[in-house]
Amino acid sequence: MDATMNGTGSPSAGGALEPLSSARAVGRTADAIFVALLWGCGIFVLILLGLIIAMLFEGGLPAFRNFGLDFLWTATWNPVTENFGALVMIYGTLFSAIIAVVIALPLSFGIAFFLSEIAPESLRRPIGVAIQLLAAVPSIIYGMWGFFIIAPLMAAYVQPPLIDLLGPLPVIGLLFQGPALGGGMLTAGLIMAIMILPFVTAMFVETLESVPPMLKESAYGVGATTYEVYKNVSVPYGKTAMVGAIMLGLGRALGETMAVTFVIGNATRLSASLFAPGATIASTIANEFPEAAQGSLKLDSLLALGFILFVISFIVLALSRFLVRSNLKS
């Protein structure tokens, strides 16, 4: 008699379990392969990040050896004499990014609260789609728009009255002095603010919509106004995510290249004025990398600038994680 049949001619228990055991073996093998692929994806990210850091550090090492730490504090960038310093670019990167966040933050708060609390349904979707479309516009388009539209408007209608009104004031007047050229730090910050606006606003909207309706209804029930609900309920509830959104916007602004290159003026000199031309790390690399000969000190200095930008971005990320954890604990 067949080993898989019992005395009555019916399939035995052992024969019935054989397909099940085979299926389980195939499932265990597939699961092991799947887990291995996931590990490979995670390790690939670490390897890729490590290779980028190593490339930038190794490429910039000759510049650090030649100039030492003075490379960070030197404001000179002279390819003719091969005297390079990163101070102007570091200053321009941080200054323009902070301007962008200062401009974008109140706009993002206002748009997010309008969409989540005030806007009727007929407006909420079109405005939301329009904000998403802003995120899809290439940075070079923002740069061209800034160069041909925003910069002339700034030179004609914004910078002259600010120079006349605020330029003569002590201390704060330093921010509003100089000729009205149209471009400069303020214009670059304004363009970057429009670029990071969709990202920050989208996260703010998601955060505000996650506030439990019962909390807001309770506040309205005790007589709170719309502003009081926003200030005392919605913002405190989502402050952790909002801090993360702000730092994300700052990190996005730090690395912007093409849009800034069009409007910042690309002048390697320090100035406290919002209207003065300047340079960022990304714009300097974009402008001067094609002219840097292989093995030259200029190329080494540009790679060193790239490594410094990476370090600044890492510090911003670490700071954002620290702030988020601090808010979670509080």
Side-chain angles (χ1 to χ4, degrees):
M1 181 178 293
D2 193 340
T4 60
M5 304 291 290
N6 57 19
T8 61
S10 301
S12 67
L17 290 176
E18 284 181 4
L20 182 60
S21 300
S22 177
R24 287 178 176 175
V26 172
R28 285 194 296 267
T29 302
D31 186 66
I33 294 174
F34 179 67
V35 170
L37 289 174
L38 294 181
W39 272 96
C41 292
I43 294 173
F44 172 76
V45 172
L46 295 177
I47 293 175
L48 182 62
L49 181 62
L51 289 174
I52 293 174
I53 297 172
M55 184 273 294
L56 291 174
F57 180 75
E58 182 182 3
L61 190 58
F64 288 121
R65 285 175 177 169
N66 190 75
F67 300 110
L69 290 179
D70 289 341
F71 183 75
L72 301 175
W73 323 122
T74 301
T76 302
W77 185 271
N78 193 335
V80 177
T81 61
E82 291 197 328
N83 188 13
F84 300 104
L87 181 60
V88 173
M89 281 65 78
I90 295 174
Y91 169 79
T93 299
L94 297 176
F95 193 23
S96 59
I98 291 172
I99 292 172
V101 172
V102 169
I103 295 174
L105 185 57
L107 290 174
S108 296
F109 268 121
I111 295 171
F113 192 68
F114 175 75
L115 291 177
S116 60
E117 297 292 338
I118 306 298
E121 196 64 35
S122 58
L123 280 179
R124 188 173 302 175
R125 182 174 180 81
I127 295 177
V129 172
I131 293 173
Q132 293 174 0
L133 289 176
L134 285 177
V137 176
S139 62
I140 192 169
I141 302 301
Y142 279 111
M144 295 171 65
W145 175 65
F147 183 80
F148 289 109
I149 305 297
I150 300 301
L153 291 176
M154 294 286 287
Y157 302 107
V158 178
Q159 293 178 354
L162 288 177
I163 292 171
D164 295 337
L165 182 64
L166 301 176
L169 297 179
V171 184
I172 194 175
L174 295 174
L175 296 173
F176 302 95
Q177 293 180 353
L181 301 175
M185 288 289 182
L186 181 60
T187 307
L190 177 61
I191 297 300
M192 285 195 295
I194 298 173
M195 294 183 67
I196 68 176
L197 186 69
F199 302 99
V200 180
T201 301
M203 294 188 67
F204 280 180
V205 169
E206 291 183 7
T207 301
L208 292 175
E209 289 180 346
S210 68
V211 178
M214 184 176 63
L215 294 179
K216 294 186 287 187
E217 291 170 1
S218 300
Y220 284 123
V222 296
T225 64
T226 302
Y227 171 74
E228 289 171 338
V229 171
Y230 180 60
K231 176 184 176 183
N232 300 318
V233 177
S234 299
V235 172
Y237 183 87
K239 64 179 181 179
T240 299
M242 289 180 176
V243 169
I246 294 168
M247 300 307 290
L248 175 65
L250 178 60
R252 173 73 175 83
L254 287 172
E256 179 51 44
T257 305
M258 293 309 300
V260 175
T261 304
F262 270 89
V263 297
I264 200 169
N266 302 303
T268 54
R269 59 176 180 266
L270 286 176
S271 177
S273 176
L274 293 169
F275 308 142
T280 65
I281 293 176
S283 67
T284 301
I285 294 174
N287 277 322
E288 306 209 12
F289 197 85
E291 301 174 358
Q294 187 70 29
S296 65
L297 186 58
K298 181 179 181 179
L299 179 60
D300 298 335
S301 300
L302 291 173
L303 291 172
L305 284 178
F307 179 75
I308 292 172
L309 180 60
F310 179 88
V311 172
I312 293 174
S313 302
F314 178 80
I315 292 173
V316 169
L317 176 61
L319 181 60
S320 67
R321 293 180 65 86
F322 172 76
L323 291 174
V324 168
R325 289 180 180 176
S326 299
N327 284 320
L328 286 175
K329 291 179 180 179
S330 62

